[in-house]
Amino acid sequence: MIVIPTVPHTGTMFVADLFARMKYKEVSFNDPLGIHTYFTCHLVKQSQVDQAVEKLKFCRAVVPLRHPCVVWESWKRKKMDFQPFQDAWLNLIKQIDPFNPCYLPIDSEKRDYYLWNLNHKLGLDIKTDWPVINSRSHTSHLIYQDLEEDQSIVTFIQDISCFINRFYG
């Protein structure tokens, strides 16, 4: 089983679709573990984080990433609040990252390296020739260098820079 714990708008549907194309079956938290199954959850509510952590005791994780500035832009367009955004990132960093998940920063120039690493760790053969999907908020074309950042996101990115710089530094 693959667990896909995510910050909303980082590529949850994108990565789920990659596994679905490989004939993996989506399951819920209470379904039995299976070899070709995947479970997705957003890291906003503590109950969802707890479910992911429980599954990660037995399964591997694949975590899609997009730069937080681009994700925040998507959240703003949906009129979503900053606190759950911040909580989701902190849950990822503090509770999921210790499990050493396979990260897939879908908007990074280093994407091919991370995809190679994911394929190597999980014995898969996913290619980088995918089209951009999960663009419901019309932010798929944005890159973080093009955005005007408000002070709350600037401060938050500084606070989590040790994590973010691993992928975008």
Side-chain angles (χ1 to χ4, degrees):
M1 172 181 265
I2 302 296
V3 179
I4 306 171
T6 67
V7 173
H9 300 247
T10 56
T12 310
M13 305 274 292
F14 180 84
V15 171
D17 187 55
L18 287 177
F19 282 96
R21 289 180 189 186
M22 293 186 303
K23 306 300 183 211
Y24 277 64
K25 179 184 175 199
E26 184 171 17
V27 297
S28 70
F29 175 73
N30 293 320
D31 288 335
L33 300 176
I35 294 174
H36 290 100
T37 60
Y38 66 92
F39 167 73
T40 62
C41 64
H42 287 142
L43 300 172
V44 178
K45 296 179 182 174
Q46 189 59 47
S47 62
Q48 295 167 318
V49 176
D50 293 343
Q51 288 179 347
V53 168
E54 185 63 31
K55 290 287 189 195
L56 288 176
K57 293 176 183 175
F58 309 100
C59 307
R60 294 301 311 241
V62 175
V63 179
L65 292 176
R66 290 171 68 210
H67 193 279
C69 288
V70 176
V71 177
W72 176 236
E73 182 67 26
S74 181
W75 279 54
K76 286 191 309 187
R77 291 176 186 204
K78 294 259 190 176
K79 305 209 183 309
M80 298 169 74
D81 294 329
F82 186 72
Q83 189 61 54
F85 169 86
Q86 190 173 18
D87 292 345
W89 281 100
L90 293 175
N91 287 333
L92 172 62
I93 294 165
K94 293 178 181 177
Q95 296 186 58
I96 304 301
D97 191 54
F99 286 94
N100 193 27
C102 295
Y103 288 102
L104 186 57
I106 61 176
D107 62 346
S108 169
E109 293 177 8
K110 302 174 192 174
R111 173 180 84 166
D112 289 344
Y113 164 76
Y114 287 101
L115 186 63
W116 175 87
N117 187 50
L118 183 154
N119 283 330
H120 180 73
K121 283 185 175 181
L122 302 180
L124 300 173
D125 188 28
I126 302 171
K127 306 279 189 231
T128 58
D129 57 352
W130 57 63
V132 175
I133 60 172
N134 193 24
S135 59
R136 294 183 189 144
S137 296
H138 307 290
T139 58
S140 63
H141 66 288
L142 297 177
I143 57 173
Y144 69 94
Q145 294 96 332
D146 293 340
L147 297 173
E148 285 189 33
E149 302 165 350
D150 57 48
Q151 191 56 46
S152 57
I153 191 67
V154 170
T155 301
F156 182 63
I157 289 173
Q158 289 170 347
D159 291 345
I160 64 171
S161 63
C162 287
F163 177 80
I164 294 303
N165 288 341
R166 289 167 42 191
F167 310 99
Y168 300 98

